[in-house]
Amino acid sequence: MTLRLDRRGFVTGAAALSAGLWPALPARAASAMGFDEARLLLSRTALGATPAEIHAVETQDYAAAVDRLLGNVRPQAATPAPAWITLGPAEVRRQQQTAEAARKPGVDGKPLQSTRPVQEQGRELRNWWVEEMLATDQPLVERMVMFWHNHFTSSMLKVRYAPALFRQNALFRREALGNFATLLRDVARDPAMLIYLDGMRSVARQPNENFARELLELFTLGEGRYSEADIKAAARAFTGWSVNRETGQFIERAGQHDDGEKTFLGQTGRFGGDEIITILLKHPRTAETIVEKMWREFVSLRPDPAEVKGLAASFRQSGYQIKPLVRALLMSQAFRDPANRGGLIKSPVELIIGTVHVLGLPVPEKTQLVRMMQGLGQVPFDPPNVKGWPGGESWITTYTLLLRQQFLRRIVEATAVASTEGGMAMKPGPNRPFDAAQGRRADRRQQIPGDDSTMQMMEPRPVEGRSLRNAGGEARLGASLGGVDSATLLRTLLPRAPIDPVDASASAGAVVAAAMLDPAYQLK
């Protein structure tokens, strides 16, 4: 089937493949989930999966595999934090002012470019998270951190204080699979959020409505389920919540808080911020908002209203425990329905990090990976606006699909898939539940980065009016794909049968190149 390269054609063509799924593999023991279901589980909960990782899961009982994925979650990142995370905003400002003052004019009279602390810390912060995504032994946590980062957005462009964004990332990591009620209360006090939505300047005589509006519209109830009067009341309740300009920590200024009576969602009292959040958590729509977003993240782009209501009721009854909700989604019939395989679109972060992992690529300089993400429309710590990245079908347009394919073609053409032999193999442990631990992500810290010329070839550049699917005839295979038969390679790289025919009798490198350049590779 030939696929039209636009968003409607891409999504419609993918959905049409539901009638042409992979032929069934030989029957296994009743308790074993099999290769395709194991691939589905890992593709939705990890950042790419190698044949070895899929083989390690396919022999397991499905429910047991889900429980192992959700068990022994580590709430801290493994990658060492940048050295500047203890700096207060006053010190960062002084460093920035010193750097600006030191800029000297060049021969043309214009100031020479110099390293400025805020910009450099932002670059290091993005690189740090990319490193963690590459090296992590618990990719589901990284997916959930990105989920919460996109739900409770803050950006380096507005905040301009990297330590606060690092601590916000640590908060999302701590509650990634923890408790939403706790997360919501902590986000309301989070310095990065208070700066991003101007809460730190909200005082009784002049309440700022930005945080209150987004709290209702984006974080909890959703648009149309509150009034402007509710926004104003909530804004008054959060006055006095601010950030210490020297330390960067949350501070509550009682003298700047509006302690008067307020009416919010039909209830009246001398409410503060905590009382507003309590009222929102009791509202059924708050749980439904989170369930709908998680459904789109894990299951399909079209949430089932009846399923959402049932899951939301359980979510509220559990006290907003996130892990049981994720488990319920992964165990749902809709998640396991073969018709939903290939029904979600990889984000730029998933596409880039997943490709690097699955193909066993050496880790290049992280800044180059961030530039690739920027070219494809998603940069960690820099969402486009307070609504975050819309995701779903918005990832695919005629333009972005060509950019995505060009990114993949450049990887193939550069033959950047290098052997991972000599890397330090990781052993299974309590936070590494699957036995296919060998060759996992942390090995990449030991690998030699690709050279600059390779990375320049891999950077996406705008292209118009040319097909990329037949470019790059063969990819060199590293240890993660080496020695794997063509049929398994296709099943690993594609969530369903390829959209364009692939010659399974060709060399393994040619099969990998064809699969990567097939539009179905964009799906999960």
Side-chain angles (χ1 to χ4, degrees):
M1 180 176 74
T2 301
L3 190 67
R4 195 166 70 251
L5 293 184
D6 60 23
R7 177 165 62 191
R8 181 179 296 275
F10 187 89
V11 177
T12 303
L17 286 171
S18 60
L21 296 173
W22 294 112
L25 290 173
R28 291 180 173 272
S31 61
M33 71 177 83
F35 188 93
D36 291 334
E37 194 161 44
R39 185 208 180 279
L40 171 70
L41 179 62
L42 294 184
S43 71
R44 300 281 177 93
T45 60
L47 293 165
T50 65
E53 291 163 351
I54 297 172
H55 283 314
V57 179
E58 68 173 324
T59 58
Q60 298 180 21
D61 172 76
Y62 184 84
V66 169
D67 289 338
R68 296 182 77 181
L69 276 171
L70 294 169
N72 299 312
V73 173
R74 186 181 62 248
Q76 301 88 22
T79 303
W84 38 256
I85 63 168
T86 58
L87 294 178
E91 177 59 27
V92 172
R93 285 195 300 271
R94 284 191 289 270
Q95 291 181 358
Q96 186 80 354
Q97 292 166 358
T98 300
E100 291 286 353
R103 296 177 70 192
K104 298 179 180 179
V107 293
D108 58 357
K110 296 180 179 179
L112 295 172
Q113 291 292 327
S114 60
T115 300
R116 289 172 287 179
V118 170
Q119 287 75 11
E120 180 62 17
Q121 289 173 8
R123 185 190 68 82
E124 291 180 6
L125 181 65
R126 297 181 191 96
N127 290 356
W128 168 83
W129 196 2
V130 169
E131 169 67 17
E132 180 66 11
M133 285 190 275
L134 287 167
T136 185
D137 59 355
Q138 44 180 19
L140 176 57
V141 171
E142 296 309 310
R143 292 186 65 93
M144 291 304 300
V145 174
M146 181 61 77
F147 176 87
W148 295 122
H149 174 47
N150 196 40
H151 185 71
F152 298 111
T153 56
S154 297
S155 76
M156 186 65 197
L157 185 65
K158 172 71 180 289
V159 175
R160 294 180 60 79
Y161 178 47
L165 285 168
F166 178 87
R167 289 194 283 269
Q168 186 184 75
N169 184 275
L171 167 61
F172 296 155
R173 197 170 297 279
R174 189 189 76 217
E175 297 297 337
L177 291 163
N179 186 278
F180 175 74
T182 301
L183 178 59
L184 182 62
R185 294 184 187 281
D186 287 350
V187 163
R189 289 177 165 81
D190 177 67
M193 181 63 70
L194 286 164
I195 297 171
Y196 182 64
L197 291 179
D198 304 305
M200 65 177 296
R201 296 184 177 88
S202 185
V203 296
R205 68 178 182 278
Q206 192 174 1
N208 188 290
E209 296 178 5
N210 287 356
F211 176 74
R213 185 176 300 278
E214 309 314 338
L215 174 67
L216 272 62
E217 179 180 339
L218 301 178
F219 303 164
T220 56
L221 303 184
E223 192 172 3
R225 293 175 171 85
Y226 53 87
S227 68
E228 285 296 314
D230 292 323
I231 293 174
K232 294 181 183 300
R236 291 173 55 206
F238 285 101
T239 53
W241 289 25
S242 189
V243 179
N244 186 301
R245 293 179 179 273
E246 292 294 323
T247 66
Q249 301 297 320
F250 170 78
I251 185 172
E252 192 166 357
R253 304 184 191 277
Q256 296 178 354
H257 173 63
D258 182 341
D259 194 36
E261 190 174 83
K262 310 165 186 76
T263 298
F264 178 72
L265 294 179
Q267 300 186 44
T268 301
R270 301 170 71 89
F271 299 140
D274 285 324
E275 288 75 26
I276 294 295
I277 292 174
T278 297
I279 293 171
L280 290 170
L281 290 171
K282 290 179 180 178
H283 197 293
R285 183 58 202 170
T286 294
E288 291 173 8
T289 296
I290 303 305
V291 171
E292 286 175 352
K293 291 191 75 168
M294 284 201 181
W295 186 287
R296 294 188 184 97
E297 177 72 16
F298 290 108
V299 182
S300 72
L301 297 179
R302 305 288 183 267
D304 182 306
E307 290 288 330
V308 166
K309 284 191 176 295
L311 289 167
S314 298
F315 189 35
R316 288 177 59 214
Q317 290 169 6
S318 74
Y320 286 94
Q321 293 296 325
I322 300 167
K323 187 182 293 187
L325 171 59
V326 174
R327 186 184 190 279
L329 287 167
L330 299 181
M331 293 295 298
S332 69
Q333 182 177 354
F335 180 87
R336 303 179 70 180
D337 186 347
N340 281 331
R341 294 178 191 173
L344 297 180
I345 301 169
K346 294 176 183 175
S347 70
V349 168
E350 291 175 303
L351 182 66
I352 292 170
I353 298 297
T355 298
V356 169
H357 171 62
V358 172
L359 300 184
L361 290 169
V363 174
E365 209 283 315
K366 307 304 181 302
T367 300
Q368 299 286 3
L369 288 183
V370 174
R371 287 176 182 170
M372 295 177 201
M373 294 173 188
Q374 183 178 27
L376 299 184
Q378 186 182 33
V379 181
F381 297 108
D382 273 318
N385 50 53
V386 71
K387 293 184 178 180
W389 298 281
E393 296 176 3
S394 70
W395 290 130
I396 299 298
T397 65
T398 302
Y399 180 73
T400 59
L401 182 57
L402 288 173
L403 282 181
R404 285 164 163 252
Q405 288 185 297
Q406 188 172 42
F407 157 70
L408 297 166
R409 178 177 65 85
R410 289 184 182 278
I411 290 181
V412 174
E413 288 181 341
T415 61
V417 183
S419 173
T420 60
E421 292 179 2
M424 295 177 64
M426 297 178 66
K427 296 180 179 179
N431 292 318
R432 313 188 68 257
F434 300 124
D435 295 333
Q438 206 159 5
R440 186 61 188 166
R441 300 169 182 271
D443 301 353
R444 310 200 191 291
R445 290 175 176 161
Q446 307 298 326
Q447 296 172 11
I448 301 173
D451 60 34
D452 290 341
S453 62
T454 296
M455 288 312 302
Q456 289 172 6
M457 292 182 69
M458 289 168 61
E459 286 191 61
R461 297 182 179 88
V463 291
E464 296 290 348
R466 61 181 294 203
S467 173
L468 300 173
R469 268 180 265 169
N470 297 322
E474 191 160 342
R476 288 177 53 202
L477 304 185
S480 59
L481 297 180
V484 180
D485 64 271
S486 295
T488 301
L489 288 173
L490 280 176
R491 287 181 179 274
T492 297
L493 295 173
L494 303 180
R496 54 177 78 233
I499 292 172
D500 287 331
V502 175
D503 183 3
S505 66
S507 66
V511 168
V512 168
M516 287 175 56
L517 296 170
D518 191 276
Y521 182 71
Q522 309 281 335
L523 307 174
K524 60 180 180 178

